[in-house]
Amino acid sequence: MLRIAIVTNELPPYRVPLFSLLAKMPGVTLQVILCTMREPNRQWVLPPLDFGYVCLRENVIEKSGRYIHNNVDVIPALHRFAPDVVITGGFNPTHLYALAYALAKRIPHVPMTDGTDWSEHSLSRIHKSIRRFVFARSKAFLAASDGGVRLFSHYQIPAERCFKVPLCIDNELFAAKGTPMRRPFDFVFCGRIEEVKNPRFALEVAIGAAGVLRRRTRILFIGAGDQEAMLRQYAAAHAEVVDAQFHGFKDHRELPPFYWKARLFLFPTHCDPWGVVVNEACAAGLAVISSPYAGAAGELIRDRENGFVCALDPEQWVSRAAMLLTNEETWKNCSRMSVARVREYSYERAALNVVEACRLAVANPPGGLLQQSQS
């Protein structure tokens, strides 16, 4: 029996099915150890949890928009579970305590990251030093994307020790089967209505497209955040050229009908290690226009294949959006390719790779030589 402990900051809904699958795999016993059920800037609604988990005593501080967890009680939690391998999903003090426990017990450690070579390129020297320290004491590595594998390579981690655990959704839930072909909205933006997600840029694209198309455009905003009042005011000032509708935060399972109403998904993020909303849009058959500052850009979103990846230049976005909205055949091809590409991102694949990485780590305990490679 392989006993796997996963130490993570919080529990995103899109990771719940992965943990459920892991817990059901033959020969695996799983415990997820949470610093908190939900960080303060999240509005997630979790489904029922059918795997073992422990929520630590919350001890978190906010610094520059990031949450730093410091849960010393992760050590007794690990001791009670007695894992064969410890997976950590970050570099907060809590994760470092878990690494210290693993080293003291001579249990293999596996880091898991959603980060990419781009999202971490500007980290401080101290942050990079911590990563070098952790990686030098780890036996296998879990990355959410090709960008994560590239990140590990910058720390001289061999590719055969890296396993992809893609961020996934329930593709069938978002599939647009049985829905009308007509999509009354040109655009949809889904995410936190905050500066980092760049929602005003999406609205500017809708306004600019109206000028090119010589008609009023329509855009859906799904999400909530501190820029919502500003965005509503800006939309009201341009109501003659754009119909912007705001629907606030929606639970994951409420989202599919909103995607089905739109043709293009706008993802003008300033920084997203991945962007699971892109999975949702692709599964719903939308063409996607994304900034290059998302992990999904160049992987799930392929330029000129199922949409476009382009710099945050409004003229470029307006031109590409207008082309997709007027060329039906191109839009249909992008829609089909979005659906086809997102099928590669499955919970089953992710779960198998987690177990394979853990088995590699257990076969090469701390101090041992690497004896096998990724198949």
Side-chain angles (χ1 to χ4, degrees):
M1 183 65 68
L2 181 64
R3 298 176 66 82
I4 301 173
I6 299 178
V7 182
T8 185
N9 288 343
E10 58 181 339
L11 191 58
Y14 51 81
R15 282 301 196 192
V16 171
L18 169 63
F19 296 155
S20 296
L21 273 177
L22 279 171
K24 294 180 177 68
M25 293 186 74
V28 171
T29 299
L30 175 71
Q31 183 165 84
V32 178
I33 300 176
L34 305 167
C35 300
T36 181
M37 289 299 293
R38 189 177 66 194
E39 291 180 338
N41 65 335
R42 304 292 188 181
Q43 294 179 290
W44 289 324
V45 178
L46 293 177
L49 306 182
D50 58 354
F51 52 84
Y53 71 94
V54 171
C55 191
L56 303 173
R57 291 189 299 272
E58 193 166 296
N59 185 17
V60 59
I61 61 171
E62 188 271 337
K63 185 176 181 181
S64 303
R66 301 177 70 87
Y67 297 98
I68 300 172
H69 299 273
N70 188 1
N71 311 86
V72 178
D73 54 326
V74 68
I75 294 176
L78 286 166
H79 183 73
R80 287 190 296 270
F81 179 63
D84 298 312
V85 59
V86 175
I87 298 174
T88 57
F91 303 91
N92 281 322
T94 306
H95 304 112
L96 299 181
Y97 300 149
L99 171 64
Y101 170 88
L103 293 175
K105 295 288 186 178
R106 298 188 60 80
I107 297 168
H109 171 260
V110 177
M112 178 167 65
T113 184
D114 293 347
T116 67
D117 52 337
W118 185 88
S119 71
E120 296 200 0
H121 77 283
S122 60
L123 288 180
S124 70
R125 185 175 299 177
I126 291 175
H127 285 96
K128 290 179 180 178
S129 295
I130 291 171
R131 281 155 174 75
R132 290 191 188 95
F133 178 89
V134 172
F135 296 161
R137 290 154 179 82
S138 304
K139 290 298 179 180
F141 300 80
L142 298 171
S145 63
D146 291 340
V149 175
R150 290 194 301 271
L151 172 65
F152 287 137
S153 75
H154 291 329
Y155 293 92
Q156 287 74 53
I157 307 302
E160 62 267 19
R161 296 174 66 183
C162 300
F163 298 76
K164 280 183 65 174
V165 185
L167 292 171
C168 313
I169 61 162
D170 181 347
N171 292 328
E172 288 304 310
L173 175 66
F174 285 82
K177 54 182 180 294
T179 60
M181 289 302 294
R182 183 176 176 274
R183 295 176 181 241
F185 283 84
D186 301 292
F187 309 104
V188 61
F189 174 98
C190 185
R192 301 198 310 275
I193 310 297
E194 297 176 3
E195 183 178 1
V196 69
K197 301 296 184 179
N198 213 6
R200 177 165 172 151
F201 186 94
L203 183 54
E204 289 172 346
V205 171
I207 294 168
V212 174
L213 298 171
R214 297 184 181 182
R215 65 170 176 83
R216 194 174 186 228
T217 56
R218 306 185 74 193
I219 184 169
L220 281 169
F221 284 95
I222 314 299
D226 57 20
Q227 289 200 339
E228 186 173 349
M230 175 277 293
L231 198 64
R232 286 177 177 270
Q233 185 177 16
Y234 190 56
H238 294 82
E240 73 279 4
V241 296
V242 62
D243 173 15
Q245 295 190 15
F246 296 82
H247 291 270
F249 172 80
K250 296 295 177 185
D251 177 54
H252 179 74
R253 302 193 72 83
E254 298 177 288
L255 288 174
F258 292 99
Y259 285 107
W260 298 337
K261 292 178 180 179
R263 295 171 67 81
L264 306 184
F265 182 72
L266 301 180
F267 195 49
T269 181
H270 287 299
C271 182
D272 255 281
W274 179 256
V276 76
V277 288
V278 174
N279 297 62
E280 297 169 352
C282 288
L286 279 74
V288 180
I289 307 179
S290 172
S291 77
Y293 310 121
E299 293 189 39
L300 180 50
I301 314 160
R302 295 286 180 88
D303 190 55
R304 302 180 186 275
E305 185 174 301
N306 61 330
F308 294 97
V309 177
C310 50
L312 289 170
D313 174 354
E315 288 188 9
Q316 287 187 41
W317 284 59
V318 167
S319 173
R320 286 158 173 73
M323 185 275 290
L324 287 168
L325 291 170
T326 54
N327 190 320
E328 186 68 15
E329 194 58 36
T330 300
W331 180 85
K332 285 181 178 178
N333 287 336
C334 286
S335 175
R336 284 193 290 266
M337 287 306 302
S338 284
V339 173
R341 288 203 54 76
V342 80
R343 289 195 190 107
E344 300 173 19
Y345 297 79
S346 70
Y347 288 116
E348 291 77 12
R349 174 188 174 193
L352 287 170
N353 282 353
V354 170
V355 173
E356 190 173 355
C358 289
R359 287 178 176 151
L360 172 63
V362 169
N364 297 273
L369 296 174
L370 198 66
Q371 296 169 350
Q372 62 187 62
S373 62
Q374 180 180 359
S375 60

